[in-house]
Amino acid sequence: MTVAPDPTAPAVLNPVSALPGSPGEHLSSPVTQAALRIQHGLLAGAREFLADAGFTEVLPPVIGPVTDPGARGAKQVDVDYYGHRYKLMTSAILYKQAALRAFDRIYSIAPNVRLEPLETANTDRHLAEFHQIDVELAHGTRDDAVEVATGLITHAVRRVVELYPEELARLGRDPRAFDELREGVFDRRTHADAVARLRALGHDQNPGAEIDWEGEAILSREATRPFFVTDYPKGSRGFYDRENPDQPGTLCNFDLLAPEGFGELISGSQREADYARVIARMRETGENPAKYGWYLDLLREGLPGSAGFGIGVQRLTRYVAGLRSVWQATAFPKVPGVVAP
């Protein structure tokens, strides 16, 4: 199956088919091999940075009684756990907050499964199975999380540029694209500013919702370096994002978008840790508190306030490698709606 190239897609020098071929063909491809070496470098750089910053790696669960309810339009996957309905993790966000009972700074690298809507197969940035670097720091603010995210991305990309120049060259990726990033120079704008910019460009972005995928692509294409979008409206994200007490109706959260049309790499926030406010937010977002018994028990016992974020490993690899589609950045791609091993 092939489709015509998207004229708005990032420009890359390695033309590819629209979907992966057989596992053997995909794994033996020089593009795949170069991308996976770059991914290895990114993960090694991330672990190096986080270890030096005092973070402990904790392995999260793959299944649990509940998972992150905040995935945009994606379906959760049920599994039979000894007669109980459990979920495959769409994100380990609740568990990494719980892990702060053990350590003040933790991170994990784990798979996530989200049955994305079929139309996302054509976005070049969605997978049904992907991996995420999750980071959480106790007593942290949104700005603390932004600082850690900036340092992590900067360090990991520097390592790739230093150690994998041949792979970047094989993929036609000019290391000069990262000159500003390697200096830690990231832009920042509020959600309201992003909405205003999109509307000025003729894109009818809903001001009360997350920036939609087309809107993210528009903002990303006109950027020359990564940029944070902050202060999403209340109701656009999950119950765990803390409402800003100084700006009621907005959340202490952020996304990091890559330039060149590659779109979102990171989502994060300061967390709500007050039991009563979490219950209220659950009800506001249509969640049944009874499903979250173990998590709410921990809140009653006392979880520290925290902040954190998740980085899509394949999306980050796609950006750094300059790939046309995110499926090229994984060894065993699961494209929404496509049956694959």
Side-chain angles (χ1 to χ4, degrees):
M1 173 182 175
T2 58
V3 297
D6 178 359
T8 66
V12 294
L13 299 182
N14 48 305
V16 296
S17 60
L19 293 172
S22 68
E25 178 185 356
H26 176 62
L27 290 166
S28 61
S29 163
V31 170
T32 304
Q33 292 170 5
L36 293 182
R37 287 192 188 98
I38 288 169
Q39 186 173 99
H40 168 75
L42 290 168
L43 290 171
R47 282 190 164 103
E48 183 178 65
F49 173 84
L50 290 167
D52 288 346
F55 287 83
T56 299
E57 184 169 5
V58 175
L59 300 178
V62 177
I63 63 172
V66 290
T67 186
D68 179 4
R72 302 188 198 182
K75 293 182 180 178
Q76 299 175 359
V77 179
D78 292 338
V79 296
D80 184 343
Y81 184 69
Y82 302 103
H84 297 271
R85 181 183 292 179
Y86 269 41
K87 306 284 186 182
L88 293 181
M89 289 296 109
T90 61
S91 161
I93 183 168
L94 303 180
Y95 291 92
K96 65 178 181 174
Q97 289 176 259
L100 296 176
R101 289 289 293 268
F103 306 104
D104 280 347
R105 293 184 156 215
I106 67 99
Y107 76 96
S108 62
I109 302 175
N112 296 275
V113 176
R114 299 179 185 177
L115 298 187
E116 300 283 359
L118 289 177
E119 59 267 25
T120 62
N122 297 319
T123 66
D124 287 325
R125 52 189 293 261
H126 288 86
L127 293 169
E129 177 187 76
F130 63 97
H131 293 76
Q132 192 156 280
I133 305 171
D134 272 301
V135 177
E136 199 77 11
L137 52 155
H139 315 296
T141 66
R142 189 262 309 279
D143 288 345
D144 292 330
V146 164
E147 182 179 356
V148 173
T150 301
L152 191 161
I153 294 294
T154 300
H155 181 82
V157 173
R158 279 179 187 158
R159 297 293 284 162
V160 166
V161 171
E162 292 167 1
L163 298 177
Y164 295 92
E166 293 181 4
E167 283 71 19
L168 292 170
R170 186 171 294 118
L171 296 170
R173 190 60 160 145
D174 188 343
R176 290 176 297 182
F178 310 115
D179 283 351
E180 290 183 287
L181 183 155
R182 290 162 67 194
E183 297 301 319
V185 180
F186 292 10
D187 289 330
R188 188 160 169 171
R189 62 175 64 175
T190 66
H191 177 275
D193 289 340
V195 170
R197 177 59 180 161
L198 288 170
R199 292 193 157 193
L201 293 171
H203 179 71
D204 189 21
Q205 170 65 45
N206 181 349
E210 288 189 294
I211 306 297
D212 58 38
W213 295 317
E214 183 182 353
E216 284 184 357
I218 292 169
L219 295 172
S220 177
R221 281 196 295 270
E222 69 172 13
T224 60
R225 56 193 180 202
F227 62 97
F228 290 100
V229 178
T230 65
D231 304 301
Y232 280 72
K234 185 180 178 183
S236 66
R237 291 286 175 90
F239 59 78
Y240 37 75
D241 283 12
R242 186 171 187 259
E243 184 174 6
N244 188 338
D246 298 322
Q247 293 179 275
T250 64
L251 301 171
C252 297
N253 61 0
F254 65 92
D255 283 352
L256 178 68
L257 276 64
E260 304 176 73
F262 287 98
E264 180 197 316
L265 301 177
I266 298 178
S267 284
S269 76
Q270 190 168 336
R271 315 302 187 191
E272 181 56 74
D274 179 82
Y275 174 83
R277 286 198 292 266
V278 168
I279 291 287
R281 290 288 306 284
M282 283 181 173
R283 289 174 174 153
E284 288 171 3
T285 57
E287 288 295 318
N288 178 5
K291 295 194 308 182
Y292 296 88
W294 71 269
Y295 175 73
L296 293 172
D297 285 345
L298 279 175
L299 283 177
R300 272 194 297 261
E301 294 167 12
L303 280 180
S306 66
F309 55 88
I311 303 175
V313 173
Q314 284 83 3
R315 286 186 180 182
L316 178 60
T317 305
R318 179 197 175 207
Y319 162 55
V320 175
L323 300 171
R324 181 63 174 271
S325 181
V326 71
W327 65 256
Q328 296 172 274
T330 190
F332 302 98
K334 302 291 192 304
V335 177
V338 177
V339 176

